[in-house]
Amino acid sequence: MTLNLLPMATQDLQFQVTRNENAKSAEERAAILENPGFGQAFTDHMVDICWSERGGWHRPRVQPYGPIQLDPAAAVLHYAQEIFEGLKAYRHADGSIWTFRPDQNAARMQRSAKRLALPELPTEYFLDSLTQLVAVDGDWVPTAPETSLYLRPFMFAKEAFLGVRPAKKVNYYLIASPAGAYFHGGVTPVSIWLSTHYTRAGHGGMGQAKTGGNYAASLVAQQEAYEHGCAQVLFLDAQQGEYLEELGGMNVVLVTRDNRLITPDSDSILEGITLDSVLQLGRDRGYTVEQRPVSITEWREGVASGEIVEAFACGTAAVITPISEIKADDFDIVMPEVAERVSMSLRDELTGIQYGRVEDRHGWLYRLDA
């Protein structure tokens, strides 16, 4: 499959490859892949591309995975000028390695960069970094069901200075981590804590950018969720405290009895690639998709009346997770039991596409090892 890429003026980057002399042996790698967890082990190499105001993007390298040396005055440490992305590489039955809609990750990273006053990495460079890393670390892509190689591109201000202005020196990196099945023993519905004391982002802020500050802002509320026996936290808007935003790291979708998929729309919500894909698969099935402001009151009343029959969260890591209940300080929303969950059917179709078991009608797959 070939993705349609947006044109952007670029020059060819010639990657220098330095092999890791201390790379894991085949036996060590196999032991890790047997039970990789998530984000705990990392492959033998990483990508590094430099950027400067005068020189643009230059010196692309694949080098041994290891610590990054930073000056104590590096701008990222003081002014949080950084962004990141997340996507996966999947092993298909014939042994080939593919990823899913990486052009959309590249485009989102460009939008995040613009919001954080960072240089925009061209789509071609983004895709090339993925194929370059897989070329040396392809053996790290696991083969067991529901496993993958998680790819983490990130960019930050590396210039050493103390002053509030955009940095003139930046680095882009790509690291990779084998990921096991997100749900051991199968996908089960989860309880969500509704945060009424904290907000994640506000109008005109950085909510639409994939930057660490947004996730840092969610951690205290996430901790509160754990204390209430919940797996995740749901945030409301910062202005009225009434309209749904997103979870700490996932988007939320409501399903109605008349075949509508409803998801919140706000300029402080990160645009989800998994969400966009799920909504398209819903349209393919004849569902009506509504992206609009959604209040917590609408959710409560919709469940009470039987209008809203299902809710789920979606994102790169877990793909789709059914929601069983919302817990708040003074009320609960308990979702009804359903014989067949729309969320699980959509999850099966989406993961089927990603792993090559279901036809890719939209041309979403991109081969990394060809």
Side-chain angles (χ1 to χ4, degrees):
M1 296 291 179
T2 302
L3 295 171
N4 294 320
L5 304 179
L6 296 175
M8 181 179 289
T10 60
Q11 59 183 11
D12 290 338
L13 290 181
Q14 300 299 320
F15 278 77
Q16 176 184 337
V17 178
T18 302
R19 295 278 179 168
N20 190 342
E21 295 180 356
N22 297 309
K24 297 286 192 299
S25 67
E27 292 76 18
E28 290 173 318
R29 186 173 60 246
I32 293 172
L33 294 183
E34 188 173 343
N35 185 25
F38 185 85
Q40 299 174 22
F42 297 89
T43 67
D44 296 308
H45 299 84
M46 64 184 187
V47 168
D48 176 5
I49 309 177
C50 299
W51 179 90
S52 67
E53 188 177 59
R54 295 183 60 184
W57 293 105
H58 62 281
R59 205 172 68 172
R61 291 163 289 175
V62 178
Q63 62 193 35
Y65 179 92
I68 297 171
Q69 186 172 356
L70 279 181
D71 190 289
V76 66
L77 300 177
H78 303 271
Y79 308 112
Q81 198 183 4
E82 66 82 34
I83 57 174
F84 66 97
E85 269 300 325
L87 63 165
K88 293 178 179 179
Y90 306 91
R91 180 83 67 180
H92 285 195
D94 62 0
S96 59
I97 302 172
W98 301 73
T99 191
F100 183 76
R101 305 189 74 182
D103 57 325
Q104 296 304 305
N105 292 95
R108 187 170 64 182
M109 193 168 201
Q110 290 158 8
R111 294 192 295 272
S112 296
K114 185 175 182 179
R115 180 62 183 84
L116 272 291
L118 287 163
E120 296 179 38
L121 184 75
T123 300
E124 291 84 349
Y125 294 179
F126 183 93
L127 297 177
D128 203 11
S129 72
L130 304 180
T131 57
Q132 291 285 341
L133 187 61
V134 167
V136 296
D137 280 343
D139 289 341
W140 281 91
V141 182
T143 59
E146 290 286 318
T147 61
S148 60
L149 182 66
Y150 182 77
L151 303 170
R152 170 53 64 89
F154 61 103
M155 182 193 306
F156 62 85
K158 208 171 187 181
E159 182 184 2
F161 77 98
L162 297 180
V164 184
R165 62 159 174 79
K168 297 179 181 179
K169 291 184 179 179
V170 170
N171 273 65
Y172 165 84
Y173 291 92
L174 170 66
I175 59 175
S177 174
Y182 196 87
F183 298 101
H184 295 283
V187 182
T188 57
V190 296
S191 298
I192 305 295
W193 174 251
L194 180 69
S195 178
T196 54
H197 302 294
Y198 304 102
T199 58
R200 191 190 63 90
H203 175 69
M206 297 192 299
Q208 283 190 325
K210 198 166 178 69
T211 181
N214 289 337
Y215 292 79
S218 74
L219 296 180
V220 66
Q222 181 65 60
Q223 187 176 41
E224 191 176 62
Y226 294 150
E227 292 170 355
H228 287 83
C230 297
Q232 262 285 357
V233 59
L234 174 65
F235 292 97
L236 301 175
D237 69 293
Q239 285 70 45
Q240 301 180 51
E242 171 66 15
Y243 291 92
L244 308 182
E245 290 276 297
E246 59 178 296
L247 277 65
M250 303 175 77
N251 297 107
V252 62
V253 179
L254 307 179
V255 184
T256 68
R257 63 185 175 191
D258 59 350
N259 296 331
R260 287 179 290 141
L261 301 178
I262 305 173
T263 191
D265 182 40
S266 165
D267 68 356
S268 53
I269 296 176
L270 181 69
E271 297 176 53
I273 296 166
T274 302
L275 171 66
D276 182 72
S277 305
V278 167
L279 296 181
Q280 182 57 59
L281 295 180
R283 292 187 189 96
D284 294 346
R285 298 180 178 197
Y287 281 81
T288 299
V289 170
E290 297 180 11
Q291 291 182 274
R292 57 173 175 79
V294 183
S295 71
I296 190 65
T297 300
E298 178 182 352
W299 190 345
R300 290 180 69 184
E301 293 178 350
V303 171
S305 68
E307 182 69 17
I308 295 175
V309 297
E310 193 174 343
F312 63 88
C314 59
T316 300
V319 189
I320 289 178
T321 308
I323 295 173
S324 60
E325 65 177 329
I326 297 293
K327 293 183 179 181
D329 280 325
D330 53 358
F331 67 87
D332 291 346
I333 303 174
V334 178
M335 300 304 300
E337 292 289 338
V338 292
E340 295 183 6
R341 294 184 184 273
V342 172
S343 56
M344 293 307 297
S345 177
L346 288 169
R347 188 182 195 277
D348 288 344
E349 183 177 6
L350 183 58
T351 56
I353 294 170
Q354 291 169 336
Y355 286 96
R357 301 187 297 263
V358 174
E359 180 186 359
D360 177 21
R361 301 185 306 273
H362 297 284
W364 286 337
L365 294 177
Y366 183 86
R367 187 165 183 175
L368 293 174
D369 65 336

